[in-house]
Amino acid sequence: MRFGLFLPSRTVFCDSLWTRKMYAAVTLFVFMCLTATTHADHHQPCHAPNMTGFMSVMTLKGEIRAHGAFTYDSMGKKLRFRSNESYPTNTSIGLDLLMFFDEGIFYEIDSKNQSCEKKTLQCTQHPLDIPDDATFAATVNSGSPSIEGEGLKGNVWTGSMPDTKGRYSMFVTMGCLPITTLYFSESTTVLFSNMEIETEIKDPDLLVVPSFCVGQPVEETPEGTVNSFLNEFV
């Protein structure tokens, strides 16, 4: 799937079509998660490679929370996500996040105003890697496994989110590329979808703290607040 400029006269139609497609993807993924019941204890969680691609975040109500480009360093545990650039919508959140999961720190960046906020990261879970304590649920085929080029085989991994008292379900290719991750709790359900993934870091500078953020003090986290990649979208 390629993203480009849309003609003004077609903007509403494209937004509506995109929403319907994404909503259909959400429905299909929920069905896959609910019907994936074949267990195998010998499966061990894999870890995704370096990646560059696009990520979309959507609620079950069909609201697009964000769409943008990401760069992920699997060894260094670093993630940059910039939303609302390639596909801006009225409901999309404008975010520029630089996450350092091993250090427990992340930056909310405002390049236009040359400013940033440095915060403590209480929860390091994110939709680009399978947690070590994830449980294998099933191997499933999306599409048709008998027609060449018309099917995608992958594993479904599930687990709990203690910080939010919720659960997650991840659909990952056999090569350990995360395609979709569904987070659901009593208050919200959010689907992360990854597209046009390439197993390389195209621009390493995106994972470097901008010069105007260097030396920024860590902001105090209000009591009861849990800062995480997921919480930026809910």
Side-chain angles (χ1 to χ4, degrees), residues 62-179:
E63 179 186 10
I64 301 173
R65 297 295 291 162
H67 177 85
F70 72 83
T71 299
Y72 178 59
D73 179 351
S74 63
M75 294 297 292
K77 303 299 181 185
K78 302 175 183 179
L79 169 62
R80 180 74 175 268
F81 176 74
R82 295 174 295 163
S83 74
N84 211 15
E85 293 183 350
S86 301
Y87 188 83
T89 69
N90 292 334
T91 58
S92 182
I93 303 172
L95 290 173
D96 188 347
L97 303 172
L98 178 58
M99 322 289 288
F100 294 93
F101 297 107
D102 278 351
E103 298 176 24
I105 292 292
F106 75 104
Y107 295 83
E108 291 185 355
I109 301 170
D110 185 346
S111 297
K112 182 178 180 180
N113 294 317
Q114 297 282 287
S115 64
C116 67
E117 296 179 3
K118 183 179 180 181
K119 300 180 180 181
T120 302
L121 191 62
Q122 280 85 24
C123 177
T124 60
Q125 193 169 24
H126 61 89
L128 293 177
D129 198 24
I130 306 172
D132 291 332
D133 60 354
T135 300
F136 173 76
T139 296
V140 298
N141 283 287
S142 175
S144 174
S146 61
I147 303 176
E148 185 177 356
E150 297 297 330
L152 178 63
K153 184 178 181 180
N155 293 325
V156 176
W157 295 88
T158 63
S160 60
M161 300 183 295
D163 294 316
T164 60
K165 298 181 180 179
R167 295 189 61 79
Y168 66 87
S169 185
M170 303 181 70
F171 178 67
V172 184
T173 68
M174 304 306 288
C176 206
L177 297 181
I179 303 301

Side-chain angles (χ1 to χ4, degrees), residues 22 26 29-30 33 55-66 93 127 161 167-170 180-193 229-234:
M22 289 299 293
V26 172
F29 184 67
V30 171
C33 293
M55 179 185 295
S56 288
V57 188
M58 185 178 182
T59 68
L60 276 186
K61 294 181 180 180
E63 179 186 10
I64 301 173
R65 297 295 291 162
I93 303 172
M161 300 183 295
R167 295 189 61 79
Y168 66 87
S169 185
M170 303 181 70
T180 50
T181 302
L182 182 71
Y183 295 98
F184 47 97
S185 63
E186 293 180 357
S187 59
T188 185
T189 300
V190 182
L191 178 74
F192 289 79
S193 301
F229 185 76
L230 173 62
N231 286 341
E232 293 294 318
F233 305 92
V234 298

